[in-house]
Amino acid sequence: MPHANVLLIEDDPADALLVEAMVEDDTPGIRLAWARSLAEANDKLRQQTPDCVLLDLDLPDAQGLDALARVRAATEAAIVVLTGLDEKLIGLAAMAAGAQDYLVKGRVEADLLSRAVRYAIQRKQAERTSVALHASQLHAQENVRLERGLLPTPLLSAGSAVAVVPRYRPGRAHALLGGDFYDVVEDADGLVHAVIGDVSGHGPDAAATGVALRLAWRTLVLTGVTGERQLRLMERVLLAERSDRHTFATATTLTLAPTQRTARIRRAGHPGALLYSATGWEWLEVSGGPALGFLPGRATWPETTVALSADAALALFTDGLFEGCVDAHRDRLGETGLLALARAIETTRPEAFVDELIERVEELAVPSGGLDDDVALLYLRWKSASAASSESNNTST
């Protein structure tokens, strides 16, 4: 068997010498250390974690299942308990309480000792694997729930005049979810409201805060609260939900008016956008105010109205799309680089354009190990009147 470090906790010197003799003569794969009490064993366990503990259940400072519980609390090692000839039931009880195996004193031979230690270590490793797999599954399920809260299905009518293509890509290190969020809601007047935002940090706290902000935004839109008051109330939610006072959130909100072909935009510390027209892609960055949480209760966010042609499209995104490194020297893509990528893409089909843009950014980040940050992207464009009417009729039938 591979070498195994074993700690024997046994107060009887005769029994300890018997185990040592079996190990020296017939089980060379075991390296044995000896402790005469639980207190002495705890000192050894603090210095080194063995592969297996051989535990006598009748020690001067701990007896029975209490001894087992205290050893389990002190180490992650496999445990084989040692019982007396008339204590088989307590051996079974010890296994039910977390030991990997038991041996009866007076009936232990070298090959039985070796096999018990080896199997106990294997069982412990299998238990750890099972626990880790279960934790991973729970984590994945939690991420799915958080993603559903951060990245909802746009709430648009069947005949909406606006088409939306949303996308999300996690960063390379993110088994942990980030705080990127977006949402799109059409109100009763046919105005289409959109938000995209990014909570600082990663992990469940940032994600939960992002979910709270996204839900607050949707609720505010559905109750008719828009403009600067909307952002101010979102900031109040952030202040109430954030895990520490250094957490902030960037956001861009916009309202698309199909009949007027305009977009009303407010920007709270968030990056600009890409604007498409007949002349191609341009960088659009309107006046804005600080991120939510920077100046609580004192910030202002001016509104800018942008005229949009019938063939216009807007691409809103979080900063992970252009702040990633694009070579081994850690140079960043930047806004200029992102605009150049957009202009180099030949397709005008929304889904294909969005996917190709993200793929090109990801390819550029490969030499530096991939994108560090999450990427959320919203692509919005006008539908043709005929397309909107056709979709509405198909749904109604």
Side-chain angles (χ1 to χ4, degrees):
M1 64 177 285
H3 287 296
N5 295 315
V6 176
L7 175 62
L8 171 64
I9 309 177
E10 170 62 72
D11 67 318
D12 188 329
D15 287 338
L17 288 173
L18 181 61
V19 173
E20 287 181 338
M22 283 190 288
V23 168
E24 290 177 1
D25 295 341
D26 299 299
T27 53
I30 294 178
R31 298 191 184 99
L32 191 70
W34 177 27
R36 295 166 179 79
S37 66
L38 189 58
E40 184 181 345
N42 282 333
D43 290 338
K44 293 181 180 294
L45 290 171
R46 280 191 287 269
Q47 298 171 17
Q48 183 180 15
T49 299
D51 298 302
C52 183
V53 172
L54 292 175
L55 173 64
D56 178 19
L57 292 180
D58 189 16
L59 298 170
D61 52 353
Q63 290 81 41
L65 297 182
D66 176 60
L68 172 62
R70 291 167 66 180
V71 171
R72 290 189 70 213
T75 182
E76 291 292 320
I79 300 174
V80 176
V81 299
L82 302 172
T83 70
L85 290 171
D86 58 347
E87 296 178 324
K88 181 176 180 180
L89 289 179
I90 197 171
L92 295 173
M95 290 186 66
Q100 277 64 55
D101 206 344
Y102 75 95
L103 293 170
V104 179
K105 290 182 180 181
R107 295 181 179 173
V108 180
E109 298 178 352
D111 61 340
L112 181 60
L113 174 64
S114 175
R115 185 164 61 250
V117 168
R118 183 172 67 250
Y119 288 170
I121 293 172
Q122 291 175 350
R123 290 190 192 104
K124 188 64 178 182
Q125 290 173 339
E127 287 175 14
R128 292 192 190 111
T129 301
S130 178
V131 169
L133 177 60
H134 182 61
S136 177
Q137 290 172 337
L138 289 177
H139 183 76
Q141 292 168 3
E142 183 65 20
N143 268 3
V144 168
R145 286 192 291 271
L146 286 170
E147 276 193 30
R148 192 161 54 242
L150 289 166
L151 317 169
T153 301
L155 189 58
L156 299 171
S157 68
S160 175
V162 175
V164 179
V165 179
R167 290 290 186 271
Y168 172 78
R169 293 285 195 280
R172 64 180 175 189
H174 303 160
L176 291 175
L177 196 65
D180 294 20
F181 63 94
Y182 61 71
D183 202 354
V184 181
V185 172
E186 182 177 357
D187 66 22
D189 296 325
L191 299 177
V192 174
H193 306 265
V195 66
I196 190 162
D198 186 2
V199 178
S200 59
H202 293 98
D205 287 341
T209 303
V211 171
L213 290 176
R214 203 278 301 169
L215 289 172
W217 178 86
R218 178 173 280 203
T219 302
L220 291 167
V221 170
L222 292 174
T223 54
V225 179
T226 59
E228 189 165 85
R229 183 165 179 251
Q230 183 187 85
L231 286 171
R232 201 169 299 285
L233 291 173
M234 287 176 65
E235 184 174 62
R236 288 183 61 184
V237 172
L238 170 69
L239 298 179
E241 296 292 333
R242 65 185 182 181
S243 56
D244 66 75
R245 64 186 185 88
H246 301 293
T247 299
F248 63 91
T250 67
T252 290
T253 65
L254 65 83
T255 300
L256 293 169
T259 58
Q260 298 160 359
R261 294 285 198 234
T262 60
R264 301 197 307 271
I265 304 172
R266 292 182 189 268
R267 196 167 60 86
H270 203 73
L274 291 171
L275 172 62
Y276 179 80
S277 66
T279 58
W281 287 101
E282 299 292 341
W283 186 264
L284 174 66
E285 187 160 323
V286 301
S287 297
L292 305 180
F294 267 15
L295 298 172
R298 292 177 289 142
T300 59
W301 300 279
E303 181 178 270
T304 301
T305 300
V306 177
L308 301 176
S309 59
D311 58 356
L314 277 169
L316 310 177
F317 39 80
T318 52
D319 58 11
L321 189 63
F322 64 86
E323 286 196 346
C325 298
V326 295
D327 55 39
H329 301 293
R330 310 296 294 175
D331 295 322
R332 296 191 179 277
L333 176 62
E335 299 167 356
T336 302
L338 180 62
L339 178 59
L341 284 183
R343 287 174 170 172
I345 297 174
E346 296 181 358
T347 182
T348 57
R349 292 189 299 111
E351 291 83 357
F353 170 82
V354 167
D355 291 337
E356 186 170 344
L357 180 63
I358 294 175
E359 287 170 7
R360 290 194 182 196
V361 171
E362 289 175 330
E363 288 172 3
L364 289 173
V366 168
S368 60
L371 293 176
D372 289 316
D373 204 358
D374 299 341
V375 173
L377 189 151
L378 273 180
Y379 182 106
L380 306 108
R381 66 175 178 86
W382 305 123
K383 291 180 185 175
S384 66
S386 59
S389 175
S390 174
E391 290 184 11
S392 180
N393 291 336
N394 288 338
T395 303
S396 62
T397 55

